[in-house]
Amino acid sequence: MIEEKDQYITANGGEGPALWSRSTLLSVVITVAVLVFLASYVDLTQVWREVAASDKRFLFLAALWHYGTYPVRGTRWRRSLKHVSGQCGNARFGLLVFFFMFVDNVVPAKLGDIYAAHLARINCGVRRSAALGSIVFLRMVDAWVVLILAAAASWYLFSSSIPGTVAWALIAALIAAAAATAVIVVFILLKRAVPAWLPETVRQRIGAFQTGMLPDRGEIAPVLLLTIAIWSMESLWIYFLALGFNVNLGLGEAVFLTMIPVIASVFPFTPSGAGAVELTLFSCLRLVGLASPLAVSLTVVNRFIDFWLHIVLGAFTWMIRGKIGLRTWRDSPSLVIGDPDALPTPVRKENTV
């Protein structure tokens, strides 16, 4: 697994991930086709009327809470990697999270996670395999938190009569959480005895992945608290978004409308689950009692803020990367032949009193 990902990362002459490939272009074509198809069912005139009549103060507040999660995500990522060498602070890691999630919005199958490891390597001096290990760990934490919150909100809203589509979404979330956990468990077991017949480079990657995948014990509680803060902020942005359209959501409804569409975002065939997320969010809004025209308008504005605006801001960030000191795939330093990570295997730092 690590070998395949590192080979992908070092493709294109060692300059970083080859983001634009046939699979990416095919994904973009599928995404455009799906969105055009969905747009054909949207009354744009009605959407425009409702957006024009909305309270823009709450829409701005919603966007502020949503984009405010990126500095918190950056702080969490840095704390999870505190035990390995690195040269970046919280602000830099927040920028990296914002940028790789922009990449995730334009490439399929969560390849943005692989690129995130590359960003950590060229910007912060963290070995890619170690950074990838930390990302898998954080994905696992997020998956379980989202599953627990989604299940609790669904049970609260629908009791024993949970709709079939919601039940399938919860099953998908359980599978994703279990899969991420299984990866962590496998590498914990490998840590006891890495097979001697594996090539040395693969053994080094496994060692780096193992080092990065678990934070120090003292960082577990802060990482969990930051995770709770992130998903609380995400729920608040949905609450304020609905309030902008004069819809006062309850706590259970806000959590439900946040978590179930997040589960749909793991749909692998389009960037960030585009198409699947829109359909899921619209269906969830209908389930909590919103009329179809209002549900459409909320879905359109939600995806504009979360998806399309992020792409625009991410492209702008790429354009000014030189001024803000952000290295991307076009700015990667040369790599040492024979060592895809071009860095020594990180050594876990011991806690000091």
Side-chain angles (χ1 to χ4, degrees):
M1 174 179 155
I2 300 299
E3 182 178 12
E4 292 176 356
K5 289 184 176 180
D6 271 335
Q7 286 175 349
Y8 180 83
I9 288 172
T10 56
N12 195 27
E15 295 181 354
L19 296 177
W20 296 108
S21 60
R22 290 182 180 178
S23 60
T24 300
L25 293 177
L26 177 61
S27 173
V28 170
V29 170
I30 293 174
T31 301
V32 171
V34 169
L35 294 180
V36 168
F37 174 77
L38 294 177
S40 66
Y41 288 89
V42 174
D43 186 344
L44 295 178
T45 302
Q46 178 64 27
V47 170
W48 177 252
R49 288 198 197 100
E50 295 198 10
V51 172
S54 65
D55 190 330
K56 309 304 185 299
R57 295 171 299 176
F58 285 117
L59 299 187
F60 175 78
L61 195 57
L64 195 64
W65 276 103
H66 172 60
Y67 284 97
T69 64
Y70 291 109
V72 183
R73 291 176 187 273
T75 300
R76 183 181 68 158
W77 192 16
R78 179 177 177 271
R79 296 202 71 143
S80 71
L81 282 170
K82 194 174 181 179
H83 58 284
V84 301
S85 58
Q87 303 121 17
C88 293
N90 293 337
R92 176 62 52 169
F93 270 101
L95 176 62
L96 297 187
V97 172
F98 173 82
F99 194 78
F100 88 70
M101 293 188 76
F102 147 69
V103 173
D104 206 45
N105 282 341
V106 295
V107 299
K110 292 296 179 183
L111 293 179
D113 287 359
I114 299 177
Y115 189 65
H118 181 66
L119 286 175
R121 154 70 181 91
I122 62 178
N123 286 277
C124 300
V126 177
R127 185 166 180 172
R128 280 192 298 257
S129 297
L132 191 59
S134 69
I135 292 167
V136 172
F137 170 76
L138 293 177
R139 289 295 189 190
M140 179 195 70
V141 173
D142 281 336
W144 284 110
V145 170
V146 168
L147 172 61
I148 292 170
L149 291 175
S154 299
W155 179 83
Y156 174 76
L157 292 176
F158 306 108
S159 187
S160 59
S161 58
I162 295 178
T165 53
V166 175
W168 280 110
L170 295 176
I171 291 172
L174 177 60
I175 293 172
T181 304
V183 172
I184 297 293
V185 171
V186 166
F187 277 91
I188 288 176
L189 296 176
L190 280 176
K191 195 169 186 177
R192 299 179 179 177
V194 178
W197 50 264
L198 289 174
E200 181 60 25
T201 54
V202 176
R203 291 166 61 89
Q204 289 181 5
R205 294 183 190 120
I206 291 175
F209 185 94
Q210 292 167 335
T211 300
M213 73 179 183
L214 293 177
D216 281 332
R217 291 182 180 179
E219 296 299 328
I220 296 291
V223 166
L224 292 177
L225 288 174
L226 288 168
T227 300
I228 293 172
I230 288 166
W231 292 110
S232 298
M233 293 173 71
E234 293 284 18
S235 298
L236 275 172
W237 105 261
I238 297 299
Y239 172 79
F240 285 123
L241 176 66
L243 208 56
F245 287 86
N246 201 30
V247 176
N248 193 1
L249 298 174
L251 175 61
E253 293 170 329
V255 172
F256 175 75
L257 293 172
T258 301
M259 303 305 159
I260 299 297
V262 165
I263 297 171
S265 69
V266 301
F267 181 72
F269 301 110
T270 58
S272 293
V277 173
E278 284 82 356
L279 283 172
T280 302
L281 178 57
F282 172 78
S283 301
C284 289
L285 288 166
R286 295 287 288 132
L287 284 173
V288 298
L290 270 66
S292 181
L294 183 55
V296 169
S297 299
L298 269 166
T299 300
V300 169
V301 176
N302 174 285
R303 295 303 283 163
F304 170 77
I305 293 174
D306 180 25
F307 186 75
W308 296 108
L309 181 59
H310 196 166
I311 290 176
V312 172
L313 294 175
F316 177 73
T317 301
W318 182 81
M319 291 172 61
I320 64 170
R321 66 192 184 282
K323 295 181 179 180
I324 60 178
L326 173 67
R327 286 181 173 179
T328 66
W329 61 92
R330 290 183 179 273
D331 313 300
S332 304
S334 299
L335 301 180
V336 178
I337 295 176
D339 182 3
D341 283 329
L343 287 171
T345 301
V347 177
R348 180 179 289 271
K349 298 177 181 178
E350 298 296 333
N351 287 330
T352 57
V353 180

